[in-house]
Amino acid sequence: MTPTRTVRLTDLTDLVQAPDTVGPQAREVHQRLRAEWGPVAPGELSPGVRLWFAMGYAEFSEVIRNEEVFSRNGDNWSAVQEGKISPDMPIYPFVTTRQNSFHNDGELRRRLRSPVDRALSRVEEHSYAAQVRSICNDLVDDMLERGEADLVQDYAVLIPLLSVAAMFGMGREVGDSMRKAAHKVLGGGQLAQEGVIELAVEIVDHIARRRRDPQDDLTSHLIDDPGLWDDNEVMEAMIVMIIAGNELTIATITQTLLLMLSDERFAGRLRGGRLDVDQAIEEVMWRDPPCYNITPRFALRDVELGGQLIRKGDAVVPCIAAANVDPLMTGSDPWLEIGNRAHMSWSAGPHSCPAQRPGTIIVQAAVRTVLERLPEVSLAVPADQVERNTDSLSYRYPTSMPVTFSRTLT
């Protein structure tokens, strides 16, 4: 099938920017696209740079699970081969080849991914949760002292990198500098290259310290793992975990806090209602996923997908926001998703998120600390006036969330 029209990325922004993503607006957009194209829609990143959106749950699953047909390595994208992807494009950092599991497939991916999985399996969850709670409590202490807060800028954007830094055995001052560098990387262009260099400098210094003085932390476990052959591969593994986890965790924290403070089903929990933080997280993962498009895959041969002919070298973008609400998987009753973890917000297959448990621990601690320690916390603006970022191809989350609360110290 040859498409007669393509869908620009801007056509899809209302899938994630709709004020009421639990209501009919986002579903109507999905329904319109599916009615016109089916589960796979043609798109355009920029003039002359074509791609496809895998919106159906089954098609999404096929793309992310089958690396023998759909590669993660950007060298297989015809647009890269033809020189159409320039360093100033936001997608550039995600399609340039590096020596890590994120950018590779097959045996190389397995060798580089396995040490990360092994290191994460050694994280003692109770002690790590205590570390994260300490970080969250310190930030809440600052809010209580000031008597005002923005739950995004004063809180959510700080927690993920500080928490990951703790897992690597780094101090909080290093975590804050890495947070700023990671944000540059996700912004694309010249700033992305600066961010990668800044991250690399911090990490290389830390690896050198851990070689001199090993500790029971993630950095030392990666250094000791025979699957990583040198310090460059250790550094690349750490960079992937820092960059991939930062925006995803910020988005999940902010979306969950917004839901808890604005949706009566969850806000009622503060007053004895029956839905809790874990259920709110799952609701976010289904209905307003923190990452709505994941990194493209590139066809290694001609293949049919969802009634469309995908040519060798084509890019296919797996669209979580659409796959999660595929009517073949969900239905009209949002209560059916509560407790159901078949959503794709952690991805799946060979490139699924390796840090689901630490990531969940961070989000749980961040949300619960706010609800438990900020007395009578409530949004200072209507929920539909909370602004979201517009500069990312993958993430949408609040950029500011001012709240009011009692000055009573807890």
Side-chain angles (χ1 to χ4, degrees):
M1 176 179 178
T2 301
T4 58
R5 184 179 71 81
T6 58
V7 181
R8 292 298 302 271
L9 281 171
T10 51
D11 294 331
L12 300 180
T13 55
D14 49 351
L15 301 184
V16 292
Q17 290 181 304
D20 182 10
T21 54
V22 180
Q25 185 171 348
R27 285 183 176 274
E28 289 174 1
V29 176
H30 289 120
Q31 290 169 358
R32 172 174 58 81
L33 292 175
R34 286 193 175 92
E36 183 170 1
W37 300 107
V40 177
E44 194 174 55
L45 181 65
S46 62
V49 181
R50 300 281 297 280
L51 42 72
W52 299 89
F53 286 96
M55 301 187 301
Y57 190 95
E59 291 73 20
F60 181 103
S61 300
E62 172 66 15
V63 171
I64 64 173
R65 293 179 187 277
N66 190 351
E67 65 179 352
E68 294 182 359
V69 177
F70 297 102
S71 170
R72 185 70 166 266
N73 191 318
D75 289 344
N76 294 305
W77 191 6
S78 58
V80 169
Q81 297 165 2
E82 295 164 7
K84 295 180 179 179
I85 306 302
S86 58
D88 62 337
M89 299 175 73
I91 202 170
Y92 183 82
F94 300 96
V95 298
T96 51
T97 305
R98 300 179 67 90
Q99 190 71 2
N100 57 49
S101 61
F102 183 91
H103 291 96
N104 291 284
D105 308 300
E107 184 56 39
L108 179 58
R109 174 196 55 75
R110 286 188 286 273
R111 178 176 71 79
L112 296 172
R113 168 66 182 257
S114 294
V116 174
D117 292 336
R118 286 191 287 267
L120 286 169
S121 71
R122 298 178 66 177
V123 174
E124 205 290 307
E125 292 189 3
H126 292 292
S127 60
Y128 183 60
Q131 285 183 294
V132 177
R133 285 195 299 271
S134 175
I135 292 168
C136 297
N137 278 317
D138 286 349
L139 294 172
V140 168
D141 286 343
D142 292 340
M143 296 180 200
L144 286 167
E145 186 173 333
R146 293 195 311 272
E148 60 183 13
D150 181 329
L151 291 184
V152 179
Q153 298 302 321
D154 298 334
Y155 190 69
V157 299
L158 304 174
I159 291 169
L161 253 297
L162 293 175
S163 300
V164 171
M167 197 158 47
F168 284 128
M170 297 173 168
R172 296 191 183 182
E173 69 288 346
V174 176
D176 189 55
S177 64
M178 289 198 306
R179 176 186 64 82
K180 295 173 183 176
H183 187 71
K184 288 183 180 180
V185 174
L186 292 165
Q190 182 61 38
L191 282 178
Q193 299 175 55
E194 292 177 8
V196 169
I197 293 171
E198 291 171 9
L199 274 176
V201 169
E202 293 282 5
I203 292 172
V204 166
D205 288 347
H206 183 65
I207 290 172
R209 287 193 293 272
R210 281 296 175 262
R211 284 206 174 275
R212 295 191 299 269
D213 182 24
Q215 301 288 327
D216 183 16
D217 57 34
L218 217 58
T219 307
S220 296
H221 298 330
L222 291 172
I223 289 171
D224 291 341
D225 197 294
L228 298 176
W229 293 353
D230 55 35
D231 283 358
N232 180 67
E233 292 188 352
V234 173
M235 177 191 71
E236 287 286 347
M238 294 173 68
I239 287 177
V240 166
M241 295 175 66
I242 290 166
I243 294 176
N246 187 52
E247 297 289 301
L248 179 67
T249 311
I250 292 172
T252 310
I253 292 170
T254 55
Q255 300 282 52
T256 305
L257 282 170
L258 182 59
L259 186 67
M260 292 293 294
L261 295 175
S262 63
D263 188 305
E264 62 181 12
R265 296 172 301 152
F266 296 94
R269 178 62 173 148
L270 304 180
R271 297 177 290 276
R274 58 196 179 98
L275 296 179
D276 62 14
V277 170
D278 290 340
Q279 291 168 319
I281 294 171
E282 292 304 317
E283 172 87 355
V284 165
M285 291 299 196
W286 272 109
R287 297 284 170 154
D288 202 4
C291 179
Y292 60 95
N293 292 320
I294 61 177
T295 306
R297 305 305 201 263
F298 311 101
L300 298 177
R301 58 175 172 81
D302 290 359
V303 62
E304 187 274 336
L305 183 72
Q308 305 282 11
L309 176 60
I310 312 298
R311 297 287 188 183
K312 178 181 179 181
D314 282 0
V316 181
V317 177
C319 183
I320 292 175
N324 277 359
V325 295
D326 186 335
L328 295 178
M329 279 296 298
T330 56
S332 60
D333 186 354
W335 289 90
L336 294 177
E337 275 96 42
I338 294 177
N340 181 348
R341 299 188 177 183
H343 59 74
M344 286 296 182
S345 293
W346 293 108
S347 190
H351 288 282
S352 62
C353 176
Q356 292 186 34
R357 278 303 303 152
T360 300
I361 287 170
I362 294 170
V363 175
Q364 289 171 333
V367 176
R368 284 176 177 149
T369 301
V370 165
L371 300 181
E372 292 169 1
R373 295 207 52 221
L374 290 183
E376 301 175 21
V377 60
S378 62
L379 291 174
V381 297
D384 60 3
Q385 293 181 21
V386 171
E387 295 183 359
R388 297 174 182 243
N389 68 317
T390 58
D391 58 354
S392 172
L393 299 180
S394 296
Y395 300 98
R396 283 290 187 274
Y397 55 84
T399 55
S400 178
M401 199 187 307
V403 293
T404 60
F405 51 88
S406 167
R407 290 300 302 272
T408 303
L409 297 180
T410 60

